[in-house]
Amino acid sequence: MPVSKMVGAKVKRREDPRLVRGLAHYVDDINLPNTLHVSILRSPYAHARITTLETDAALKHPGVVAVVTGPDLRDQVGLVPVASQNPSLRVPKHHVLAVEKVCYVGESVAAVVAEDRYTARDALDLIRVDYELLPAVSDAEKALASGAPVIHSEWPDNVAFRWELKQGNLAHAFKEAHKVVRQRFVHQRLAPIAIEPRGVLARYLPGEKELTVWSSTQIPHLLKTQLSLMLNLPENRVRVIAPEVGGGFGSKLNVYREEALIGYLALKLNRPVKWIEGRRENIQTTIHGRGQIGEAEVAVKKDGTLLGLQYKVIADIGAYHQLLTPGIPPLTGLMLSGCYKIPAIGMEVTGVFTNKIATDAYRGAGRPEATYVVERMMDRVAQELGIDRVEFRKKNFPRPKDFPFKTATGLAYDSGNYQAALDKALKLAGYEKLRGEQNKLRKQGRYLGIGLSTYVEICAMGPSAAMPAGGWEYGNVKVEPTGKVTVLTGVSPHGQGQETSFAQIVADELGVDIDDITVVHGDTSAVPSGIGTFGSRATAVGGTAVYQAAEKVKEKAREIAAHLLEADPEDLTFSDGRFSVKGVPKKGLTIQQIALEAYMARRLPKKMEPGLSATSVFEPSNFTFPFGTHICVVEVEPQTGKVEIKKYVAVDDCGKVINPLLVDGQIQGGIAQGLGQALFEEVIYDENGQLLTSSLMDYPLPRALDLPRLELSRTETPTPVNPLGIKGVGEAGTIGSTPAIVNAVVDALAPFGVTDIDMPLKPEKIWQLCQTKEPTKARGGR
Amino acid sequence: MIPAPFEYAAPQTLGEAIRLLSSEGEEAKLLAGGHSLLPMMKLRLANPKILIDLRRISGLSGIRREGDQIVIGALTTHYEIESSALLKEVCPLLPETARAIGDVQVRNRGTIGGSLAHADPAADLPAAILALGGELRLTGSDDQRWVKGEDFFLGLMTTALKPTQIITEIRVPVLAGAVGTAYLKIAQKASGFAIVGVAVWVKVEDKACTDIGVAVTGLGAKPFRAKEVEKKLWGKRVDHTFLDADASHVDRGIDPLDDIHASARFRAHLARVLTDRAIHEAISKATSRKS
């Protein structure tokens, strides 16, 4: 790249003024004349047969326009799709409205369409449904047991799929081991809770034969394809718009029942139709994350050399698959090497149907589980061997010269310097001093814990060969006749700030003012193609496409400039948005002047097409592998089980940084959600499949006051996978933080003989553990 | 999250409100801050036929001193209590408790009368009112009486308030002399309501406890005054040699709540811990106040 001015600079988010002033337009802010509103009747039971479903009274209610049920739609609307496949996958029919039976609390049974929201909701109460209750199973382990109620009678049991990975000589590793350490891990279900719940507005224009669907989604282009299939419409007559989207965290990386339902109703009724999800619906029917229960085993030599790791896991699928449901646990398997040399790795996944909403991608999507297992095991093993946990990690790190580093799981880590990030974090945290303080306080009956997590994750998804629906990304850069620059991107930012960072990339490349650049996204009619925003891919893949498109524009501009200046293109220099002839700086043309010429098209080189724009579709050759070290210091009060975070240091390496403010923001938000999982977040269903945490009065979200001051720092190891050296940062904070916090609490409780606690680390659990044993006065562990 | 249809009335006078309430009876609900009622209506757990909005009636809010009593209008917001200079001076337990309620937005709308009438077993203010021996004025069409806090709370979300009565005022005594106060709570992480909350005031004269009030919320189906704990401290020497507040029986006779946020056993344990800590904190404040 030429001299960079914007890339790397702390440019404030250009999105924020409209957001903080309430001028942005989310789905519910879009008002079309004559819009109808939908309210959805949902099952109060986890498993039941629908014996009666009478809608006449609701239909007669003044203001009600239509009432639809599962049987009405089963031949009209296709099934909810699952994109992730594997050979053993069982795919139950996932109708848009329940047919014959319901399989989780909140499953949609009928929809009322009315002139306004209030009427639609009132009429719901007039629908008569009789349910014949069926035995439900909400616990994934119990669902696997013989005699458990079978949720889908097409199959003999609740197994949704089995998936296995075995690399290296596991038998040998475990036979040779000086020690084998085993630990059970529970990754509780989490609700993603985007602040804006889902929402859909659809309009059909019968004259133009065009269906437009506004949806709060992360993947407008993929949704367009799927909706055209579900609704049996030509894809070129479907337009999807993701307007302002208030967060997703993976939960909107999906195709939901309601998106097809609302599209169908708009088609059928020839009027705009809108549905906005309530928070209770959001927790009941938007996908959950995590939901793994596993047993890990690590084989290790006496000197601390890792020999092998096995992880046998039960994945809680829920009642039906959503888009990527079966693809999440294998991602855990791929990342089980962590940032260590482990010659033999095995993972066995059993996906299990339960009477609950599906699990799917939630920030981190499989990698937090892997990192948690590996980083908790690193502490467990170090403790069992009586060796220093920092030295143990360092011993097993690949060295910088080992990159690309091939893992037993079949990945090639692009670049890394794990030791540098760890050393920097130890220094920032004052690690040695903290250990001294810990010992001092323990003598006073105070329990300080120091937790460490050295993580690596997989980003920039990804090579198309490894993705269910394409891993490339689309970018287009156009210099308008007036010199303004329009950038089209196929990614769909919903809080990540690419309207800012992509403008920074283009501003540097074309030498134009950032205020002259507009980044357009989230509309399938404005942006011809795209994959979307997820898997920490938007900047590394989408940003690269934009960068390459800008390069092409610059090259064309150079040719035009050379033609007009009667110089050889090689004899032109480019700086500050202007081409000039080498040695004759006064003889030059700005990119804006060139753009005008490109559209006037009177003096262009022969055979050159008019206009000044270019497209690039970037197909990455590999994933990227960001990494880092998080250190957390807690004080635990045994009497009440309270955990106070005293210090938090994060050193993250996401490759080349476009905008440090955006990177810090991603890390901060990621740590907040990782902390939520570690300390208090948990979706709880009772044994009958009733959801006990169905509102924010019962499901705790991290709040500002829960967060410690975060001391953030970075190392910068560019990736060779893309020309900008960007790795991605959207999920790192969530992945790195959870094990650091849990390791800290376990470390604090070492005097009580505690070696493990299941998340979330609620005060009561900690209190109970402190009851069982008098604290030892021994010195703190290493 | 859309309530069932309801009617709405906004009377200008207390008399009008009481007349409406008398004619509509149990079909009516009173609206003050609405922080508990409206969510219940949106979930259709409460479906009143008519809402009687009390907020246009003058004289139902405000904090004033009447001799050795403080009188607080039922529509006084938590924030007004939290920030009242008068209360901070003569009854700091109430501002300390109000400050622990929800967040700023909640405290700016929620009212003391609404909170007491709703009688959520985990609400904060009932603990302070009970500890202080506060009273509530219940006003009906032909009766008006002061009811002691202890006689007001009957059970889970049940009170002595009749469907035709309105809480109009709350009164608590002025705490004179070397008094220390404390409200400690461990909050339910999501809702902010108390898993356990303990309100204490204590008077220290000549290094001895000469008066005390201790009340607990969140533990049982209704808030209660911990009289046994109080009794043990009466006349007790509370200087630097004081170690044990003897709160180990604070949960005696109480059937603790048990839910996904805390088991009965843990709640009872926390009640003991917080009672002990709150008493120590109150004594320490009383002692430093004196010096």
Side-chain angles (χ1 to χ4, degrees), chain B residues 126-145:
Chain B
I129 297 298
L130 287 182
L132 292 164
E135 296 175 305
L136 296 80
R137 186 153 83 154
L138 313 186
T139 306
S141 55
D142 46 13
D143 60 328
Q144 262 207 47
R145 61 193 181 106

Side-chain angles (χ1 to χ4, degrees), chain B residues 243-267:
Chain B
L243 285 175
D244 185 9
D246 209 356
S248 59
H249 301 299
V250 66
D251 58 310
R252 183 181 287 170
I254 303 294
D255 187 13
L257 298 173
D258 192 319
D259 60 27
I260 56 170
H261 303 291
S263 71
R265 204 173 139 248
F266 189 49
R267 271 196 168 80

Side-chain angles (χ1 to χ4, degrees), chain A residues 437-449 635-638 644 646 748 751-752 777:
Chain A
E437 200 183 324
Q438 179 182 44
N439 280 319
K440 205 174 79 192
L441 288 175
R442 275 189 191 170
K443 284 176 199 144
Q444 302 166 18
R446 288 176 60 188
Y447 299 93
L448 208 66
E635 181 168 357
V636 178
E637 188 183 76
E644 186 193 349
K646 311 276 275 191
F752 295 89
K777 297 284 180 217

